[in-house]
Amino acid sequence: MRRVWPRTPDVEMQRAFAAWSSGPAPTAHAAVCGAEDAQRKAIMKAHEAVYKQLREYLLWLFHNKCAYCEADYRSARVQVEHFRPKSRVTGEKDHPGYYWLMFDAHNLLPSCSLCNNKKRNRFPVSGRRAAAPDDDLTLEEPGLLNPYDDNDIDSHLEFVTDEEDEKLFGVAQKVGNSWKGHESIIGYGLNDDAKVRARQLEMKAFLREFKDAFEDTERRAKLWRSLQDGSRQFSAACEAKVSAWIESVYQERKKYRTLGTTQN
């Protein structure tokens, strides 16, 4: 998972987003929030097409990848997903869902069907849970990592890079005792077999590319940027793999320098 950084879309996409934000989105939002409780779900269902209109924008923003597992759209079917679930919350039978955020662009993300089906309405929090439009969302501390807001994702999630460890290579692990890391691995299904296999293949492929480009400064820099900006599939895991390799090379060279100094 990567923190998504703001980018400027082309003029056509800017116009489309502005038109959505000033037309269909506020109209649908008013209809849903103004509905009686008994009628709200039917009205939400009638307006589902509105938030799905942001699919192309969200795919562009997240480099055509799932916001959670980083599989690209060629590897997995991508859907528009709500970070805070819109109609119900797992384990909270009386919670109406975060219906007032149904058309909030900051609550919408592109998600592969595997992550979306795994997460569903799961949304653990510590602190006071918001249950109505006037409630303060800042009093919640989500248990799931948010690619929009969390700047320290690598303080919660890490990936096993040792290929010799066949059982764990490519597996996502929580960092230390991170609650967010633990909940995110479970909530997004980051260690489902299909995701781990795809991640392993990409980690190996990227390392081969990086090694081939190691003496080519421009190409190497371009590959590294694709990890930093998140445009590469499974960029966080690939960066972990390459960083581990660079560290091993450094330690090997350090060992030989030390050996040479001792011999002299």
Side-chain angles (χ1 to χ4, degrees):
M1 184 184 296
R2 279 287 189 199
R3 166 80 154 82
V4 64
W5 296 102
R7 294 189 293 147
T8 303
D10 60 32
V11 173
E12 184 178 349
M13 189 171 290
Q14 287 184 50
R15 288 173 178 168
F17 183 81
W20 180 85
S21 300
S22 61
T27 299
H29 173 78
V32 168
C33 290
E36 297 292 335
D37 291 347
Q39 303 299 320
R40 181 170 292 119
K41 288 190 177 180
I43 293 175
M44 291 170 69
K45 182 71 175 177
H47 289 83
E48 280 187 347
V50 174
Y51 71 77
K52 293 178 181 179
Q53 291 173 9
L54 271 198
R55 184 178 184 276
E56 294 307 313
Y57 168 78
L58 293 171
L59 278 172
W60 168 82
L61 184 62
F62 283 86
H63 300 282
N64 293 311
K65 301 186 307 179
C66 171
Y68 301 134
C69 73
E70 289 199 275
D72 70 25
Y73 74 99
R74 294 168 297 180
S75 304
R77 181 184 175 191
V78 176
Q79 305 165 339
V80 178
E81 202 272 327
H82 294 80
F83 179 65
R84 284 178 166 86
K86 63 184 183 297
S87 57
R88 62 177 62 88
V89 176
T90 300
E92 302 276 347
K93 67 177 184 177
D94 295 325
H95 196 283
Y98 297 83
Y99 60 86
W100 64 96
L101 300 176
M102 184 174 178
F103 309 102
D104 185 335
H106 199 71
N107 194 50
L108 299 173
L109 304 99
S111 172
C112 72
S113 56
L114 292 176
C115 285
N116 200 7
N117 290 337
K118 190 77 173 185
K119 178 179 176 286
R120 291 187 176 273
N121 300 306
R122 184 185 181 92
F123 196 71
V125 301
S126 63
R128 182 178 178 181
R129 185 187 293 280
D134 292 334
D135 288 350
D136 187 353
L137 289 174
T138 65
L139 297 180
E140 292 185 337
E141 178 59 39
L144 299 176
L145 289 165
N146 186 345
Y148 282 125
D149 296 334
D150 286 311
N151 295 316
D152 59 345
I153 291 175
D154 58 358
S155 296
H156 301 279
L157 280 179
E158 61 186 4
F159 297 92
V160 179
T161 60
D162 185 1
E163 293 182 38
E164 295 184 3
D165 193 335
E166 296 181 0
K167 291 184 178 180
L168 291 179
F169 172 53
V171 166
Q173 296 182 328
K174 66 179 181 180
V175 176
N177 293 319
S178 172
W179 174 60
K180 280 191 170 186
H182 173 76
E183 290 295 334
S184 296
I185 290 169
I186 295 173
Y188 300 136
L190 296 182
N191 286 333
D192 288 355
D193 289 345
K195 295 177 187 177
V196 173
R197 287 195 298 271
R199 195 181 296 136
Q200 290 171 338
L201 291 173
E202 190 69 7
M203 291 168 76
K204 291 178 181 180
F206 188 89
L207 182 59
R208 286 195 298 269
E209 285 185 56
F210 194 82
K211 286 180 177 179
D212 289 343
F214 200 65
E215 302 302 325
D216 185 334
T217 304
E218 184 176 345
R219 186 179 166 208
R220 188 180 72 235
K222 184 177 180 180
L223 285 169
W224 189 255
R225 282 197 301 273
S226 73
L227 300 182
Q228 296 296 296
D229 66 20
S231 58
R232 181 78 179 213
Q233 180 179 216
F234 303 119
S235 63
C238 288
E239 182 177 343
K241 180 64 174 171
V242 170
S243 296
W245 175 73
I246 292 173
E247 178 64 19
S248 71
V249 171
Y250 170 76
Q251 291 298 333
E252 190 69 15
R253 291 180 178 179
K254 182 179 179 182
K255 181 178 70 174
Y256 280 112
R257 285 199 301 270
T258 303
L259 181 61
T261 301
T262 303
Q263 289 177 341
N264 290 334

